[in-house]
Structure formats: C-alpha cells, structure tokens
Amino acid sequence: MSSLKTSWANRVSDRSLLYIFLLPTFGFLLFLVVFPLAWSLYLSFTTYSANIDQPPIFVGLSNYTAIFRDPEIWYRFVVTGQFVVLTVIIQFFLGFLIAMLLNRKFYGRGLLTTLFILPMMFSPVVIGKFFRFMMDTNWGVINYLLVGVGFPRIAWTASFEYALYSLVIADVWVWTPFMVLLSLAGLSSVPRYLYEAADVDRASGWFKFRYITLPYLAPILTLAVLFRTMDAFRFFDLVYVMTGGGPGFSTQTIPYYIYMLAFSFWRTGKSSALAYILLIIIIALSNIYINYLNRVRRA
C-alpha cells in the first residue's frame, strides 16, 4: 500500500499539484464574483423581474436610455453628489486637524486616540438607530440641548431642509476616525531630522507645514480621500435606518434607489443598469485620484 502511494506521489508533478490546489479557488471566484457580475451585466440589457417566473427579454440599451432621460434619477444623482462632497470634505479637514492635534505629545494622548477611533467599531445599523433617537424632533437629546440654549426644535430626519444634513452628520461621526488614522500614519512617517534642520534655519511653522509635512502626507491623504469617496458613493445603510430615503425622496441616494428598484419595484433589469452606471462613475473617479497620486509620487 505504501509503495502505491509513493508511486502516485512520484507521478504527480509540482505543476499538477499547483493546479489541484488552485482550481477550487478559481472555481469559487468564478461562481461568487465573476458569474454574478456577468449575469447582472446581461440583465441590465433586459426587461426582467426577479419575482416573476419569466425569462429575461433582451431590450438592448433601453434601460440605460430610460435612466438618462429620467429627471427623478438625475435628482438622486444630485443628492448623492451633495452627500459625497459634503462628507468627504468635512471628514478630510476634521480628520486632518484631529490628527495634527493627536500627533503632539501630551498626557492622555493614547486614551484620546482610542476614543476617537471608537465610532468605526460600531455597526452602521446601530449608529443609525442611535442618531435617529438623538435627532428625534420631540424627545431627542439634540433638540433638548437646542431648546435649552434658545433655539427652536428641528425636524432633523423628517424635513426636506435638514434630512440630508442629518445623514451627513452621522456619516462624519462614523468615518472621520478613518481619516484621523491615515493622517496619523502619514504624520508619523515624516523624518524628524527634517524638522530639526528647519528649526536650525529658524523656519516658520507654516514653512515646515508647507514644504515638509504636506509633501510627505499628500500620497496617503489622496489615498484616504479615494477610499472615502468610493465608500460614500455606495452609501446605503444609514439612509435605510435613519430616513428610509424620505421625506419624499429627498435623501434617496443612488445605492438606496437601486435597492428600491430591485426589491421594492422588482425592476431587476433597470436596477442592474443603474448599478453599472454607478460602477462606471466610481471607476472614473478612482482613475482620476490614482493619476493624481502617481503625479504626486513622481514629483
């Protein structure tokens, strides 16, 4: 028996063993990643409802042209763009300022850093519920504090004027720590001897920030903005929990509308087409960021 095993092992080459171990992995990747992508791309060119037992009907580019001609979908693109711009800008500057503060040596710095990154450890659903209760018009703690200092109550999640800003506030609270962490990593990588040399030359604080800190931080800050932009474009969970896309459709971002098309209206083909348009936008923006990052590295 042992001789049979030895002869079989001798016949199997290293390349064959490589294929034996890798093929199941490729099979899983094809089944879990490639097939859903290819199938959803095909569905985007069809009229199909996942809840009806009928095969997809090929309609060419009709779903795409219907999306581009629909002013309500363009409005949702505007809502998504407003959310992305506001959250990314606020998180960028707030995270960078907090990182500059935490980069200094002071008592309790470690505890303060831990407290700043805590929001990232909570589930988005829990955070959404948390902010929804705090922003409640009648008994939320935020309105309680506003009334206490003489301001009127605000319908944070129920008014057209403030619903989007309530989502921005919640998202900034969750993801600013991400910017803090990456900024801190960048600040800690700046060689100390450059600051010491600048001190010898009696350089100003602005000079050290402009010509030492910023050039070293630029690549990692660009990467942080790239990650946050991509993540903000697929913003869904807090919308689902806090506002449900309302009032009206004032907080319906594109990912939330894709969810509604797919699972509320059962228009699977059109939702697939909209998902691919969003994917193309994210890829295009990512390429812009990556090209800028490469230019910064070559500079």
Side-chain angles (χ1 to χ4, degrees):
M1 187 66 183
S2 62
S3 62
L4 284 174
K5 287 182 178 177
T6 306
S7 61
W8 180 84
N10 290 333
R11 286 199 300 272
V12 177
S13 65
D14 290 344
R15 181 171 293 276
S16 301
L17 279 174
L18 181 69
Y19 288 137
I20 289 171
F21 284 112
L22 287 182
L23 279 177
T25 306
F26 279 116
F28 274 114
L29 278 176
L30 284 173
F31 179 72
L32 295 176
V33 179
V34 179
F35 172 72
L37 281 174
W39 179 244
S40 59
L41 180 63
Y42 167 68
L43 290 180
S44 71
F45 297 104
T46 66
T47 296
Y48 177 66
S49 295
N51 64 335
I52 299 176
D53 188 19
Q54 290 181 352
I57 300 171
F58 186 78
V59 293
L61 295 173
S62 296
N63 286 328
Y64 290 92
T65 54
I67 287 170
F68 287 122
R69 290 173 180 169
D70 190 340
E72 292 187 355
I73 293 182
W74 280 108
Y75 175 79
R76 291 174 175 95
F77 270 113
V78 172
V79 171
T80 307
Q82 289 175 335
F83 175 82
V84 172
V85 170
L86 283 173
T87 53
V88 173
I89 289 177
I90 295 173
Q91 289 166 10
F92 174 79
F93 285 105
L94 195 58
F96 184 68
L97 290 175
I98 294 172
M100 291 287 286
L101 171 68
L102 295 176
N103 194 45
R104 298 175 179 276
K105 292 181 180 178
F106 58 88
Y107 182 76
R109 175 190 171 202
L111 176 63
L112 199 58
T113 305
T114 305
L115 291 176
F116 270 120
I117 65 173
L118 271 181
M120 288 175 57
M121 300 178 185
F122 292 102
S123 162
V125 175
V126 174
I127 292 168
K129 288 284 186 185
F130 178 64
F131 270 91
R132 187 173 178 178
F133 290 142
M134 286 203 312
M135 292 178 170
D136 186 88
T137 308
N138 297 315
W139 43 271
V141 65
I142 294 178
N143 273 331
Y144 174 79
L145 294 174
L146 287 176
V147 172
V149 294
F151 288 98
R153 293 180 184 275
I154 295 175
W156 289 100
T157 58
S159 66
F160 284 92
E161 190 177 2
Y162 293 103
L164 185 62
Y165 296 118
S166 69
L167 295 174
V168 171
I169 291 170
D171 195 71
V172 166
W173 189 80
V174 177
W175 288 112
T176 297
F178 176 78
M179 288 290 190
V180 174
L181 282 179
L182 288 191
S183 300
L184 268 178
L187 287 169
S188 62
S189 69
V190 181
R192 291 293 157 194
Y193 68 85
L194 294 177
Y195 292 119
E196 292 167 1
D199 289 335
V200 171
D201 293 336
R202 305 184 69 177
S204 64
W206 168 250
F207 182 91
K208 288 187 279 188
F209 175 77
R210 171 67 181 83
Y211 293 102
I212 299 176
T213 306
L214 208 52
Y216 267 90
L217 279 181
I220 197 165
L221 289 180
T222 307
L223 205 58
V225 171
L226 169 64
F227 286 150
R228 283 306 309 138
T229 304
M230 291 170 61
D231 195 54
F233 262 106
R234 60 183 185 84
F235 182 66
F236 170 81
D237 33 29
L238 290 179
V239 179
Y240 184 83
V241 175
M242 289 180 64
T243 65
F249 44 83
S250 62
T251 58
Q252 283 186 13
T253 58
I254 290 297
Y256 186 82
Y257 187 58
I258 291 171
Y259 164 80
M260 290 188 65
L261 278 176
F263 301 109
S264 296
F265 308 140
W266 297 104
R267 301 179 68 178
T268 311
K270 189 174 181 180
S271 66
S272 300
L274 187 54
Y276 271 94
I277 291 172
L278 182 63
L279 177 65
I280 291 169
I281 292 172
I282 293 174
I283 291 173
L285 285 174
S286 302
N287 281 329
I288 293 172
Y289 281 127
I290 291 170
N291 287 333
Y292 175 73
L293 183 62
N294 290 331
R295 283 204 303 271
V296 168
R297 285 177 174 170
R298 286 194 296 267

